[in-house]
Amino acid sequence: LLACGHIRPWQLSGVYVHHFLQAAADDFERHCREVCAKLKVPLSVQKVDARHLHGCSPEDAARRARYAALAEVVQAEWPEVHDVVLAQHADDQVETLLLALSRGAGLPGLACMPAVAERHGVTYHRPWLDVPGSQLRDALRAAGETWVEDPTNTDTRYTRNRIRAQLLPVIEQAFPSFRQTFARSASHAAQAQTLLQELAEQDLQIVGNPPAIKALQQLSEARQSNVLRLWLALEHSQASAAQLQALLVQVKACTTRGHHIDIKVGRGFVRRDGAVLRCYNL
């Protein structure tokens, strides 16, 4: 907010999303109001309840609610605005990458947070992804500015906090430039994922939507997996690695008219319907 205020203060607005996840959130809101009043920047406070989103971790639920609220306020209050700036920094990116590795994530997960991304009709910018958090805090101190710390940041029951408090200091001792090199790896993963997405879109034109089984069988297993993930995403479904592998086995074995395919995928099923596959969500 301070940096943007130096560039175009007359075009700046602030948004605070209150998640109702901890008592300190009211203090966060007061701090945001004080900062925006000082800078003469209009502030919109969006209140969301992310506590009971089914099928999501608390962090995922809060993230989904936050982005939905940001898009809603931008479109409702400032329809001429199409860009939102976020303050995630290099440490956040490293933590995201290590979390993705710990979960066995594929390229989309390893790509981490993009510097520029579009969601819900809004373009999000993250200009600090190559800047360590310590450097940002030093800059705030030099400017005489204060900030608030999330009290849950020291709670090592959360995996991300254990990474921050226990793992990153050890990695920094062994690899002092790890923030830059990890960010470069995430960038390579993002570039590779872009290529896979383009290939999946081309293959979907070949196999059709819904995908024809015989056309799928003409592709390599890797390309089958790639295009099926895209197709499932378009059907608002997502397969685990085990579910997708089971589906690939069935597609390969489907050489007779009577072969039956019925695989649990996400919250629904993929079933054979004559010559094609269809997705049925519950």
Side-chain angles (χ1 to χ4, degrees), residues 22 26 47 52 57 66 83 88 95 101 105-107 121 147 152 159 170 179 186 209 257 263 276:
Q22 53 178 295
D26 290 334
K47 298 188 175 182
H52 304 294
S57 69
R66 178 164 59 254
D83 299 271
Q88 286 106 340
E95 292 162 13
L101 286 168
L107 284 177
W147 65 89
T152 66
T159 305
V170 176
R179 290 177 179 85
N209 188 359
R257 185 176 298 178
I263 300 289
V276 301

Side-chain angles (χ1 to χ4, degrees), residues 13-279:
S13 299
V15 184
Y16 171 66
V17 181
H18 193 313
H19 297 86
F20 289 98
L21 293 176
Q22 53 178 295
D26 290 334
D27 295 329
F28 300 161
E29 180 182 337
R30 278 192 290 273
H31 176 78
C32 291
R33 290 189 184 279
E34 291 170 1
V35 170
C36 287
K38 175 183 173 182
L39 296 176
K40 296 181 173 57
V41 170
L43 174 70
S44 176
V45 175
Q46 298 296 301
K47 298 188 175 182
V48 301
D49 189 348
R51 292 171 292 184
H52 304 294
L53 193 57
H54 179 70
C56 290
S57 69
E59 186 181 49
D60 287 338
R63 183 185 303 108
R64 293 188 186 191
R66 178 164 59 254
Y67 281 108
L70 286 170
E72 182 178 347
V73 67
V74 167
Q75 293 162 1
E77 297 187 20
W78 309 302
E80 74 282 1
V81 173
H82 305 287
D83 299 271
V84 171
V85 182
L86 304 173
Q88 286 106 340
H89 48 70
D91 293 34
D92 298 318
Q93 187 78 309
V94 168
E95 292 162 13
T96 301
L97 177 59
L98 291 173
L99 280 170
L101 286 168
S102 73
R103 295 166 180 163
L107 284 177
L110 299 180
C112 301
M113 295 179 288
V116 180
E118 191 275 336
R119 183 185 294 194
H120 301 307
V122 176
T123 300
Y124 293 93
H125 304 263
R126 297 181 177 90
W128 300 142
L129 286 183
D130 59 350
V131 181
S134 60
Q135 187 173 329
L136 293 175
R137 288 187 286 273
D138 289 343
L140 287 171
R141 290 190 191 97
E145 298 290 345
T146 61
W147 65 89
V148 291
E149 291 281 355
D150 186 334
T152 66
N153 281 349
T154 58
D155 188 345
T156 53
R157 290 177 299 176
Y158 297 101
T159 305
R160 183 179 285 272
N161 291 345
R162 290 199 301 275
I163 291 173
R164 182 182 304 129
Q166 301 170 7
L167 187 56
L168 294 192
V170 176
I171 294 177
E172 188 164 24
Q173 286 183 352
F175 307 105
S177 301
F178 77 97
R179 290 177 179 85
Q180 291 77 18
T181 55
F182 280 25
R184 192 157 61 244
S185 292
S187 178
H188 292 329
Q191 186 177 54
Q193 177 56 31
T194 298
L195 293 175
L196 286 179
Q197 177 72 17
E198 292 175 357
L199 179 61
E201 291 170 356
Q202 295 172 11
D203 283 345
L204 193 62
Q205 294 293 320
I206 295 172
V207 303
N209 188 359
I213 295 171
K214 285 189 176 180
L216 279 170
Q217 291 171 338
Q218 301 305 308
L219 301 176
S220 68
E221 184 174 301
R223 286 175 66 176
Q224 287 181 42
S225 176
N226 192 42
V227 71
L228 286 172
R229 284 194 184 280
L230 172 62
W231 170 64
L232 289 169
L234 294 174
E235 295 293 321
H236 307 289
S237 184
Q238 185 175 7
S240 68
Q243 290 170 342
L244 189 60
Q245 185 58 40
L247 180 56
L248 292 173
V249 169
Q250 290 301 312
V251 167
K252 182 178 181 180
C254 188
T255 57
T256 62
R257 185 176 298 178
H259 187 91
H260 182 65
I261 296 179
D262 191 348
I263 300 289
K264 179 76 170 67
V265 172
R267 298 181 184 177
F269 295 87
V270 170
R271 294 172 176 146
R272 179 182 181 180
D273 181 11
V276 301
L277 297 176
R278 294 195 186 276
C279 183

